Amino acid sequence: MSLIEPFAAAAPLVVGWTTHGLLFRRRLTAARRCPLTQLLTRDGWEKAALRRILRGNAAVAVIDLDGFKAVNDMFGHAAGDAVLKATGHRLHLWAGASDGTAGRLGGDEFALVMSTDDFHVGIEQLHELLTAPVDWQGQQLEVGASIGAVPTDGLTLSEALKQADQAMYEAKGSGGRRGPRRPQDATARLEVAR
């Protein structure tokens, strides 16, 4: 028996396992992306957010679309999907320019991890971007956006998400305005009035 025969016999197995591994990796990557918005899903976003937070100078934002249900009810789910796609695209572009990563947490709720540089100005710009009308079949679909954001200094991702979520609900309660927060000390945070 020559040395070539065992390798020749094993070659189909190696090719098969390599192909299987590549397909599995593609499926896993696809499962971490929302098929509608192409943003990371919660699991994938949390992993990316943790990596970004470890680099420092990071903030977390939670965004909820205001009036999204009305768009779905009035124009149908295809219109709602168009709004979600546009929101995903806008968040992806904005996050890339802000050294961050966007994700879709579910429904019409999204999350961002980003640099804290120009934090408040950035949130204002993000709000304007997200509330721009979406063109759909000749209709201008409009939704609002409630944004809660906190710097992650000294916070775990879970704590930052909880505080950003609370700020988002406070913003929603005040008519869907932005809700960025600024640390006052190690334990207290204050919503910035607009």
Side-chain angles (χ1 to χ4, degrees):
M1 176 192 257
S2 73
L3 289 174
I4 296 174
E5 289 175 5
F7 288 115
L13 291 174
V14 171
V15 170
W17 278 106
T18 302
T19 303
H20 175 75
L22 289 172
L23 291 174
F24 180 74
R25 188 171 297 208
R26 283 187 184 166
R27 286 183 182 157
L28 187 59
T29 299
R32 290 192 176 136
R33 292 229 174 248
C34 166
L36 183 62
T37 65
Q38 298 305 306
L39 295 177
L40 292 170
T41 58
R42 181 182 292 270
D43 184 51
W45 180 82
E46 286 181 353
K47 288 178 176 145
L50 284 171
R51 287 191 301 273
R52 177 61 188 86
I53 289 169
L54 289 174
R55 290 182 20 220
N57 193 33
V60 168
V62 175
I63 300 119
D64 188 72
L65 299 181
D66 302 324
F68 177 74
K69 184 179 181 322
V71 168
N72 255 351
D73 291 347
M74 187 176 293
F75 299 101
H77 291 288
D81 287 353
V83 169
L84 292 174
K85 285 179 188 178
T87 301
H89 181 70
R90 292 169 181 180
L91 283 171
H92 175 73
L93 292 176
W94 193 88
S98 301
D99 189 25
T101 302
R104 182 177 180 203
L105 300 181
D108 63 336
E109 188 169 80
F110 300 86
L112 281 170
V113 62
M114 64 198 139
S115 170
T116 55
D117 296 340
D118 300 321
F119 178 57
H120 292 280
V121 173
I123 294 297
E124 293 291 332
Q125 292 170 345
L126 175 62
H127 187 266
E128 287 179 29
L129 179 67
L130 293 177
T131 57
V134 174
D135 184 42
W136 180 75
Q137 296 184 351
Q139 298 283 333
Q140 294 295 303
L141 306 176
E142 294 186 22
V143 294
S146 294
I147 303 172
V150 295
T152 61
D153 301 331
L155 299 174
T156 65
L157 176 59
S158 178
E159 292 167 337
L161 277 170
K162 183 178 179 180
Q163 289 188 21
D165 199 48
Q166 181 181 353
M168 184 271 298
Y169 279 107
E170 290 170 8
K172 189 176 280 295
S174 65
R177 297 173 10 200
R178 285 72 59 210
R181 293 177 168 206
R182 207 175 287 193
Q184 294 226 326
D185 58 45
T187 59
R189 304 215 175 251
L190 176 69
E191 181 174 336
V192 176
R194 298 282 175 213

